[in-house]
Amino acid sequence: KAFISNEEPDIIHMTSMKVTLEMKDGRIVVITSDTGVYNKKTYDCFFVKNVEATDGETVLNSENMDLLASVDTASIYNGVILTSTKGSLVADKIEYDFQTKYYKVSMFKKERVKVKLTR
């Protein structure tokens, strides 16, 4: 379902939001959430509640994800759990820069990020 208000015609409010991204390396990333907002002008997506992103090998769950096409970054925050064949990670926030391909993993308080690597 989608809703566009007359006051903000470029903003689409959605329920059962789903976005499929085709990455340059050939991976297909599918992102879903209970609700979200899409900006038709900037292509920015804001996913809210029960967010899941997967490329088939890695699964990322959180309560929020801001996929900002306007600045080529993604912010995943609030109860982040990342699992893959290489291990798992629990954090409050992950920021990803699509240009540099670097992740910044952090906690909101002075807690440590929990990482479990498997071989």
Side-chain angles (χ1 to χ4, degrees), residues 18-66:
K18 179 179 180 179
V19 171
T20 302
L21 304 172
E22 295 181 23
M23 306 303 284
K24 289 181 182 178
D25 62 6
R27 290 178 301 132
I28 303 294
V29 177
V30 178
I31 307 168
T32 59
S33 67
D34 289 355
T35 63
V37 174
Y38 174 67
N39 185 316
K40 294 190 304 184
K41 199 172 199 174
T42 65
Y43 305 111
D44 293 341
C45 296
F46 301 90
F47 300 87
V48 180
K49 196 171 181 192
N50 295 317
V51 178
E52 180 175 286
T54 184
D55 65 0
E57 293 182 18
T58 302
V59 178
L60 187 136
N61 297 97
S62 71
E63 286 302 307
N64 301 89
M65 176 186 285
D66 301 343

Side-chain angles (χ1 to χ4, degrees), residues 3-118:
F3 172 76
I4 302 172
S5 71
N6 291 332
E7 294 81 30
E8 296 178 300
D10 292 329
I11 305 298
I12 302 171
H13 299 268
M14 297 183 204
T15 59
S16 300
M17 191 164 168
K18 179 179 180 179
V19 171
T20 302
L21 304 172
E22 295 181 23
M23 306 303 284
K24 289 181 182 178
D25 62 6
R27 290 178 301 132
I28 303 294
V29 177
V30 178
I31 307 168
T32 59
S33 67
D34 289 355
T35 63
V37 174
Y38 174 67
N39 185 316
K40 294 190 304 184
K41 199 172 199 174
T42 65
Y43 305 111
D44 293 341
C45 296
F46 301 90
F47 300 87
V48 180
K49 196 171 181 192
N50 295 317
V51 178
E52 180 175 286
T54 184
D55 65 0
E57 293 182 18
T58 302
V59 178
L60 187 136
N61 297 97
S62 71
E63 286 302 307
N64 301 89
M65 176 186 285
D66 301 343
L67 185 61
L68 305 177
S70 59
V71 291
D72 231 7
T73 63
S75 292
I76 305 100
Y77 51 100
N78 293 330
V80 179
I81 301 171
L82 183 143
T83 54
S84 75
T85 56
K86 297 178 183 177
S88 62
L89 178 139
V90 176
D92 286 334
K93 186 174 185 178
I94 297 176
E95 293 180 34
Y96 181 71
D97 185 317
F98 287 97
Q99 294 290 334
T100 63
K101 298 183 181 178
Y102 285 117
Y103 291 93
K104 180 180 177 186
V105 181
S106 61
M107 300 297 279
F108 294 138
K109 297 181 182 178
K110 293 185 179 184
E111 300 173 41
R112 291 183 179 198
V113 173
K114 297 174 183 126
V115 177
K116 180 180 180 182
L117 298 175
T118 57

